Every structure is written in structure tokens, then in C-alpha cells.
Amino acid sequence: MKNRRKFLQLSGVLGAGLLTGIATACTSPKISQKYIDRNFIASNKFKRYPKLEISLDRIVKETVGLRPFRKKGFRVEKEELGSKTIIHNYGHGGSGWSLSWGTAKLAVDLAQTSGEKSFAVLGSGIVGITTARTLQEHGFQATIYTKALPPLVTSSKATGTWSPASRLIEAQYLTPDFEERWRKTAMYSFRTYQNLLGFNDIVTWIDNYIVREKFNPEPEPLDTDGGKYARLRIAGILPERQVLEQKDHPFHVDKVVKQTTLVFNIPSYINKHLNDFLAFGGRVVIKEFKSLEDIDALQEKCIVNCTGLGSMTLFNDNEMLPIAGQLSFLIPQPDFNYRISTDNGYAIPRKDGIILGGNALEGSWTETPDRAQTEKVVQALTDVMHRIRA
Ligand SMILES: Cc1cc2nc3c(=O)[nH]c(=O)nc-3n(C[C@H](O)[C@H](O)[C@H](O)COP(=O)(O)OP(=O)(O)OC[C@H]3O[C@@H](n4cnc5c(N)ncnc54)[C@H](O)[C@@H]3O)c2cc1C
């Protein structure tokens, strides 16, 4: 709780009066020990933990997205190339949704140093869109050039939860400098997301129940793959995780960890921001860049490169590689209002469906869904749902 208070103070989200209120509340043992679980009614136990309606015939879509992983972490950097100034903003791995506003701010700060007023943004994934909107918010003109629009971009094939350190950087390349930049970037994004609450649920908060066969008292490891990827955390940014004893949850295991987190409803989220971009005078041009000469031919002098994995060939970045991730979409189920993570996959409620996922194949360029992967996650979640205490 101390950490969370420190974070809130640091971030300046709350005014002084409200902070005082929270500080007082935190000293009360009752409040600090347990938040109220909206799925739990003491008089009628577990009634409001709706069961997931899960079966293979309810899967209506499968996607494979290629996370734009960069061994040394995201690249936000200025580069002079002939007559053009390039501002790079790519390589966000499994954290692009979470970090997008923060790295957009870093990129726009660099873009401003060019003295230009009109910018080209390459790419219309979440990094390109947030960068273009941030340019507009600073009073600049922006044109997005892209070979593909959502939903045909990696960003549309993401889970869309708060995961600012997921498959972001190899542990061996982590430096204190990068960690500090990451921290500021994540906090900037986190604050921006709080201002997006209430817009038709493009961003929502939900409870995540971690139901492991073997209870792990440590915080959930963030996709670190046995220590290969750096494990980065900001203490206090999310509400504190709770360990629920068997009497306080309906699942078949002894102890369950509950952590409240953010979800991004991807289609409506992207739609809002692309529409805002157009409403503020932005232009979108469909164009594929095959070489640096194609970029040189643009009328804008300063170009912000948000091409994700495309940067690997376009800018010859050998630090990059894809990490493929498969998702399966169940028909939307409005009453299913929590996330569940098991040893073999997770389910997350979004407006466009219940998203099932949980795999990562480093170096794989395959974008064809593998039915066996879908079956594995469906089986894991079916097992948990069959054993839920109603
Ligand atoms: C299965 C999965 C789950 C994920 N879950 C999460 C999550 O829960 N939370 C989270 O924070 N992140 C998550 N991610 C990661 C996140 O989706 C990515 O980090 C993010 O989408 C990267 O965004 P981007 O805009 O850089 O790339 P992209 O979305 O790939 O966009 C790149 C853009 O550049 C364009 N482009 C590329 N090359 C060229 C070219 N040569 N010429 C013209 N245009 C070009 C493309 O058409 C596209 O418009 C997940 C990813 C996957 C695959």
C-alpha cells in the first residue's frame, strides 16, 4: 500500500486533498487488507462468478500476431538520413499497447527538435496512431503513410491488457538508463489510460484471477521465459494483488491470486483514435515503403518511423525478431466479467469477444493459426469451468 501511495503521489494523478483522504484510508487495517470483490456475495457464495461458455464451436475467429520484439528494447531515437530526419519509434515486443502513449511522447519530443511543423508518420498500428495523435496534440500536422490499416496490423491481433514489460527486452541488455526510460514511459501511458476511462469502455478495469495448479506466492512472472526477458516492475502502479483462500473463491485450487488490471477494447479503441486523427485534420495514405529511397521521396522532411517489425527490413535492424502469439475469439459473453489465467492459457472478456491466448513462439513468422493451440487453451479453460463451485 505504501508503494501505491508513493506512486500516486509521484504521478500527480490526485490532488492534495484526495491524497490526504487516501492516506487516511490506508491506515485503516480493514481497508488495506482487502478490497471488496464485486464477484463475491457473502450471503450467496460465488453466485456472481459467471461461468465461461466455452467450446470449440463457439470459436468464431483465430489470429496469429507477430510481436515486434527487439533484443535491446524499444528504439526511440533520432537519425539523420540524407536530407531527412528520421525519428524511430518501434520494437515494443509484447508491450506496445501498454507503452504506446509514453514512447509517442518521447518520439514527439525528439520530432520537435527538427523545427518542422508537418510530419510523416509511417505505420498505423497502435504506435503510429498514438504518435500521430500526440503530434496533433502538440499543434503539428501529421500524415500517416501505411501499407495496411487495422485490423490487418499486429496491433489488432493483441490481447490488449496492461503488460508494460512483457517480452520487452532481453535481460542481458537491460541498462539502468533503459529501465529509467521504460519507467517514465510506462507511467506516462498509465496516466493517459486513466483519462480514457468512460469513453464507451475503450479502456476498462477488470479483475484477473490466477488459478494455478501449484500456488506461487510470488507476483505473476511477466512473460520472462525463465529469465531470458528482463523482469521489470513498477511497485504500486496497480491495486495490490490479493491471495484468496478457498472460502473466498469458487475455483478448484486452494489459493487464487487476484489482481485488478486494465483492458483495452481494441477495435473501438483504434476506431476512436483514428477518427479523432481524421477529425483534427490528419490524412491517411496507403503506401508501402520498400526502400529508404521511397522514404526519401516523401514531401515531409521529418519522418516518424512506427513500422514495428517492418523496421527489420526497412532499416536493416538485426536486433529484431518476431514472437508469434495466437489468439482465439469466443462469441462475446457480456456477463463474463473477469479475466482468468491458468497454467495453459487465459481468457479475457472484451467487447468483441472472449479472447483466449497464452502462447509465444520466438522467431516464428507463421501467421496461420494452429488448431492444436486453440484446442489446448479451450481444454485448459473447460477443465477449470467444469470444476468451478456454483
Ligand atoms: C498475441 C499478442 C498479444 C499481445 N498482447 C499485448 C497486450 O496484452 N498488451 C500490450 O501492451 N501489448 C500486447 N502485444 C504487443 C503489441 O500488440 C505490439 O507491441 C504492438 O501492436 C506494436 O505496435 P506497432 O504499431 O509498433 O506495430 P504494428 O501494429 O505492426 O504496426 C506497424 C504498422 O507499420 C506498417 N508497416 C510496416 N512495414 C511497412 C512498410 N514497409 N511500409 C509501410 N507501412 C509499413 C504496418 O502496415 C502497420 O500499419 C501483443 C501482441 C501479440 C501478437
Side-chain angles (χ1 to χ4, degrees):
M1 186 58 75
K2 244 187 214 159
N3 282 334
R4 179 163 173 77
R5 208 160 67 215
K6 193 172 161 206
F7 162 72
L8 290 170
Q9 279 164 342
L10 272 175
S11 69
V13 184
L14 299 171
L18 192 49
L19 262 182
T20 318
I22 283 200
T24 315
C26 291
T27 55
S28 151
K30 264 188 195 154
I31 292 175
S32 64
Q33 272 163 23
K34 209 170 204 184
Y35 303 99
I36 291 162
D37 188 335
R38 66 191 160 122
N39 276 317
F40 184 81
I41 306 173
S43 60
N44 190 1
K45 283 186 183 177
F46 321 128
K47 189 179 168 194
R48 293 184 61 205
Y49 279 88
K51 276 195 182 187
L52 181 60
E53 290 182 45
I54 185 165
S55 55
L56 280 170
D57 59 303
R58 289 179 69 85
I59 302 282
V60 288
K61 187 168 77 171
E62 292 166 293
T63 59
V64 177
L66 306 180
R67 299 172 181 90
F69 178 67
R70 193 164 176 273
K71 292 176 191 171
K72 293 186 176 167
F74 59 72
R75 182 180 183 203
V76 182
E77 205 170 84
K78 187 170 169 181
E79 186 181 17
E80 301 295 343
L81 267 182
S83 61
K84 305 287 187 195
T85 301
I86 313 285
I87 312 293
H88 294 291
N89 183 9
Y90 68 88
H92 295 68
S95 304
W97 271 90
S98 311
L99 298 178
S100 55
W101 291 106
T103 63
K105 175 74 168 72
L106 291 181
V108 171
D109 286 349
L110 284 177
Q112 290 196 71
T113 62
S114 70
E116 295 295 317
K117 300 284 175 228
S118 183
F119 296 88
V121 174
L122 309 191
S124 66
I126 193 57
V127 175
I129 292 170
T130 49
T131 300
R133 284 292 296 126
T134 306
L135 281 165
Q136 288 181 326
E137 281 165 7
H138 284 70
F140 299 122
Q141 294 286 327
T143 300
I144 293 178
Y145 297 89
T146 183
K147 73 172 177 192
L149 286 169
L152 302 178
V153 296
T154 300
S155 299
S156 296
K157 298 170 189 166
T159 316
T161 49
W162 175 251
S163 62
S166 168
R167 299 183 176 90
L168 179 66
I169 179 171
E170 281 190 9
Q172 59 172 325
Y173 294 118
L174 184 66
T175 60
D177 186 47
F178 181 88
E179 188 165 352
E180 184 52 25
R181 270 184 116 199
W182 167 80
R183 190 173 303 278
K184 285 189 176 149
T185 306
M187 285 174 65
Y188 186 89
S189 277
F190 184 82
R191 288 199 298 272
T192 307
Y193 278 122
Q194 307 323 305
N195 291 333
L196 292 173
L197 291 166
F199 282 98
N200 293 325
D201 285 348
I202 59 170
V203 178
T204 52
W205 280 94
I206 60 163
D207 294 332
N208 180 24
Y209 297 93
I210 301 162
V211 182
R212 299 259 184 255
E213 291 301 328
K214 197 166 167 241
F215 175 68
N216 179 3
E218 290 300 310
E220 181 81 336
L222 279 169
D223 310 328
T224 53
D225 273 15
K228 177 173 181 178
Y229 308 117
R231 185 172 186 189
L232 296 165
R233 292 187 69 231
I234 303 176
I237 196 164
L238 294 178
E240 282 182 15
R241 56 196 282 286
Q242 290 175 48
V243 176
L244 303 183
E245 300 297 330
Q246 210 180 30
K247 65 179 175 43
D248 295 326
H249 68 77
F251 304 105
H252 63 281
V253 294
D254 259 4
K255 290 182 180 176
V256 160
V257 173
K258 179 183 155 196
Q259 171 84 73
T260 305
T261 190
L262 281 172
V263 171
F264 317 123
N265 279 299
I266 288 181
S268 50
Y269 184 102
I270 287 184
N271 205 28
K272 172 188 162 35
H273 287 100
L274 265 182
N275 283 338
D276 284 0
F277 175 68
L278 297 172
F280 280 92
R283 280 195 322 133
V284 178
V285 177
I286 304 298
K287 182 173 172 57
E288 178 168 5
F289 297 87
K290 296 210 165 117
S291 65
L292 295 182
E293 284 73 33
D294 290 345
I295 295 176
D296 202 37
L298 287 173
Q299 62 187 32
E300 291 87 355
K301 284 208 167 115
C302 185
I303 287 111
V304 193
N305 168 36
C306 308
T307 53
L309 206 52
S311 298
M312 190 172 167
T313 42
L314 201 51
F315 290 93
N316 205 16
D317 188 333
N318 300 322
E319 309 285 347
M320 293 202 79
L321 69 155
I323 302 182
Q326 181 167 325
L327 303 178
S328 317
F329 290 65
L330 286 168
I331 295 170
Q333 185 187 333
D335 68 316
F336 185 73
N337 63 352
Y338 57 93
R339 171 182 172 156
I340 178 162
S341 305
T342 72
D343 291 319
N344 284 316
Y346 55 74
I348 297 181
R350 278 190 356 210
K351 293 287 167 193
D352 55 332
I354 310 294
I355 318 302
L356 310 181
N359 77 332
L361 302 175
E362 193 177 296
S364 170
W365 288 94
T366 306
E367 291 183 87
T368 309
D370 172 7
R371 196 61 175 175
Q373 169 60 24
T374 301
E375 286 169 4
K376 182 177 153 191
V377 184
V378 167
Q379 191 58 57
L381 288 154
T382 304
D383 285 351
V384 175
M385 289 300 141
H386 273 161
R387 290 194 277 175
I388 213 166
R389 282 177 286 145

